[in-house]
Amino acid sequence: MAVDSRSDPERAAEIAASLSEVRARIDRACSAADRPPDSVTLVVVTKTFPSSDVSILQRLGCADVAENKDQEARVKVAELSDATPALCWHMIGQVQRNKARSVATWADVVESVDRLSLAEALSAGAVAANRRIEFLLQVSLDPDDASGRGGVRPIEVPELATRAMALPGLALRGIMGIAPYPGDPDVAFGLLESVAQQLRTVVPDADRISAGMSGDLEAAIRHGATHVRIGGAILGKRAIVR
Ligand SMILES: *Cc1c(COP(=O)(O)O)cnc(C)c1O
């Protein structure tokens, strides 16, 4: 892979430059939305990139990183287990129920919980591993449900939240959404924001909104995102697009 063949200092300089551009975008979007710049947490999506990149990010002050596949993530988490300060690992991909126990051993935050059976399996895994895992409910922002991206329908969020918040080993912290493409991200993130308001009436401290990627972080911040998940704009093109 081209990424691996580059020297570390060269790659580090490249990542540092794109990271500061993204941080500047976030700052500008916050000020345009009249929000303090520290009200948005940057989560860098490291899927398909090597542990050496994660290590560079960590040295550049990125504490939150995200993966979308259990197996790939497990390898990186093991390789970086000595990192200080410790990284906060987010799982943002679909989780098959038979992988939930494994995900529960490494993920600090699971952003893609969209059904009770998955929450139950993560809960069992967290209890077995003696860990406490934060999670978000992934909300479908697609007008039709045919996207395959997963996500609970907005109308089902309060009931799922009520059931899932009672599970041991887990802490419900908010919601996550992916804007449909093509489509207007302002419409999608406006919907997500209203779902977040409903959720807070059921679980007051579930106040996180994970929304926004490389192409639409400004719209997400306009609509209250507390976390943005950025891959390509920081690490470059992924070898495998998904
Ligand atoms: C890959 C991915 C991202 C990052 O997307 P970019 O366009 O590379 O910033 C964000 N969220 C999810 C759920 C992803 O799978």
Side-chain angles (χ1 to χ4, degrees):
M1 237 196 299
V3 165
D4 287 326
S5 64
R6 265 171 287 177
S7 74
D8 212 44
E10 192 184 324
R11 180 64 173 151
E14 183 177 84
I15 292 176
S18 48
L19 179 64
S20 61
E21 274 170 39
V22 166
R23 283 179 171 151
R25 275 176 70 189
I26 293 171
D27 286 355
R28 280 196 301 274
C30 284
S31 95
D34 249 323
R35 299 179 51 186
D38 62 359
S39 64
V40 176
T41 299
L42 170 62
V43 179
V44 185
V45 180
T46 50
K47 64 187 182 197
T48 79
F49 291 99
S51 299
S52 54
D53 280 359
V54 184
S55 179
I56 289 168
L57 287 162
Q58 204 239 0
R59 276 178 269 135
L60 291 167
C62 298
D64 290 270
V65 292
E67 291 284 330
N68 74 338
K69 292 219 177 335
D70 174 61
Q71 221 170 338
E72 181 185 341
R74 261 175 21 210
V75 173
K76 292 182 201 174
V77 172
E79 283 173 352
L80 295 162
S81 60
D82 292 338
T84 47
L87 290 157
C88 179
W89 292 92
H90 296 238
M91 174 54 165
I92 58 172
Q94 298 285 291
V95 183
Q96 303 303 318
R97 182 127 67 108
N98 62 356
K99 292 282 171 64
R101 194 168 271 265
S102 173
V103 169
T105 64
W106 62 264
D108 299 298
V109 186
V110 179
E111 299 201 12
S112 44
V113 174
D114 61 0
R115 56 201 191 280
L116 188 63
S117 60
L118 172 56
E120 287 168 343
L122 284 170
S123 167
V127 169
N130 198 21
R131 302 185 70 228
R132 185 174 165 83
I133 298 171
E134 297 186 316
F135 74 104
L136 309 181
L137 296 178
Q138 182 181 346
V139 179
S140 171
L141 301 176
D142 289 280
D144 54 14
D145 283 331
S147 73
R149 265 189 288 263
V152 58
R153 290 191 300 152
I155 195 163
E156 293 166 351
V157 166
E159 191 187 337
L160 178 57
T162 305
R163 289 161 168 255
M165 69 178 281
L167 296 168
L170 300 183
L172 174 57
R173 298 306 314 273
I175 55 176
M176 183 270 258
I178 303 169
Y181 184 84
D184 182 345
D186 277 290
V187 172
F189 295 140
L191 170 61
L192 192 65
E193 191 175 24
S194 71
V195 176
Q197 273 161 18
Q198 285 173 36
L199 174 60
R200 281 197 301 272
T201 67
V202 185
V203 190
D205 54 333
D207 55 3
R208 294 190 197 164
I209 303 178
S210 171
M213 319 201 308
S214 293
D216 56 18
L217 72 87
E218 286 82 4
I221 289 172
R222 272 196 290 282
H223 294 284
T226 61
H227 291 66
V228 292
R229 308 176 308 271
I230 311 298
I234 293 170
L235 293 171
K237 253 195 158 62
R238 282 183 290 275
I240 308 156
V241 179
R242 47 193 133 158

